[in-house]
Structures are given as C-alpha cells and as structure tokens.
Amino acid sequence: MHTTKTCSFGIANSIESPTCRARELVLTAWTGTLPSQQTVFVPCASSLRRTRPLSQMRMRKQRLELINPLGLHARAAAKLVDVCQGFASSISLRDPVSDKVVDGKSIMNLLLLGAPCGTELTVVCEGEDEEAALQAVSELINAGFYELDDPA
C-alpha cells in the first residue's frame, strides 16, 4: 500500500511492506530551492505484527461495577495490571463520573483513578486479543478481585 500526502514542508509517504507488515513514514523535505533532499525513516506505532487484519479488529467495551469493599486499591490494582499485561491489546478503564481514562497496564494510573466500591467503570480493549482480554478483566472485576472472602 502506498499513499502520498502533500505537506507544507514537503511530501510524506506512508509505505506498508508486504513482507514484514511494518509501516514506515518517509518524510522528504527540501531545503530552499536546492535539489538536495533529506529522507527520514520513522517506524509507526502500528508497525507491530498482527495476526488479524485491521478490518477484523474492533474495539470491545463493557461497563463493570467494582464490588469489592475497598474498591480499586493497591492489591486489586496489582492484580488487574497482572491480568492486563498478559495481553497484547491496549486495555483502558474509564470512569464516566470523573471522565478519567487510564491505562490498565499502569498501576500508577489505576491508583490515581481512585475508584471506590460501587464505581462503574467502562473497560475498553482494542487489539488482536481484545475478546480474551475483556473476558479476563471482566471475570477479575466481577469476582471482586478474589478478595470478597479475604479479611481486608
């Protein structure tokens, strides 16, 4: 796939290599009126290998309520990070009340969310294993982070 976009500073080409599926951004800029050119290759964030085409990927989301008495505290956040890091998909959690969106793979972001018991969070998974990721995260949250029988 090859597309060309004209910019105010030159031409930017997006090239997708069929052999390695890596995309590179080729930036060609001219200096003054001289015919000299500079070409810079920058790997895109989406250059990771995919097992499914982009057309088959779609975002999965589900609204879940925190039912454990202490909410999303340090131990629960650590369990959530462990589950999320096992997947290649990006996993984010959104608190609709405060409108905060955090990365599910970052314990600091989860702790800063400050979600107490009863908070309804929207879990959003996007990537090649999004279905399995959403199922694992929802099982953990619906089980109260397996802390309901623990004496907190």
Side-chain angles (χ1 to χ4, degrees):
M1 179 176 156
H2 180 78
T3 57
T4 303
K5 296 178 183 175
T6 305
C7 306
S8 60
F9 52 87
I11 299 174
N13 298 315
S14 176
I15 300 171
E16 186 168 341
S17 169
T19 56
C20 66
R21 292 189 204 163
R23 292 191 330 166
E24 294 176 333
L25 177 67
V26 180
L27 178 64
T28 307
W30 287 268
T31 56
T33 58
L34 299 175
S36 64
Q37 298 180 14
Q38 293 178 340
T39 304
V40 180
F41 294 94
V42 182
C44 293
S46 62
S47 65
L48 301 172
R49 294 187 184 268
R50 296 183 188 96
T51 57
R52 293 190 296 172
L54 280 175
S55 61
Q56 291 180 2
M57 289 186 194
R58 53 184 177 229
M59 179 175 55
R60 303 275 188 199
K61 60 182 172 178
Q62 184 176 356
R63 201 166 184 158
L64 301 167
E65 181 180 350
L66 296 178
I67 60 172
N68 59 319
L70 298 176
L72 195 55
H73 60 93
R75 185 174 51 233
K79 288 179 182 180
L80 183 57
V81 168
D82 285 343
V83 168
C84 291
Q85 286 181 343
F87 297 97
S89 296
S90 67
I91 303 169
S92 60
L93 287 85
R94 179 179 176 268
D95 181 1
V97 176
S98 66
D99 205 32
K100 289 182 186 175
V101 179
V102 298
D103 180 11
K105 297 179 182 182
S106 168
I107 193 163
M108 289 304 293
N109 287 341
L110 290 171
L111 291 174
L112 290 173
L113 188 60
C117 180
T119 302
E120 285 192 5
L121 299 174
T122 303
V123 179
V124 180
C125 300
E126 189 170 15
E128 62 186 44
D129 52 0
E130 60 202 13
E131 293 176 31
L134 183 61
Q135 181 178 355
V137 170
S138 64
E139 284 177 8
L140 179 67
I141 293 174
N142 288 333
F145 298 94
Y146 304 105
E147 297 179 341
L148 297 178
D149 295 331
D150 291 348

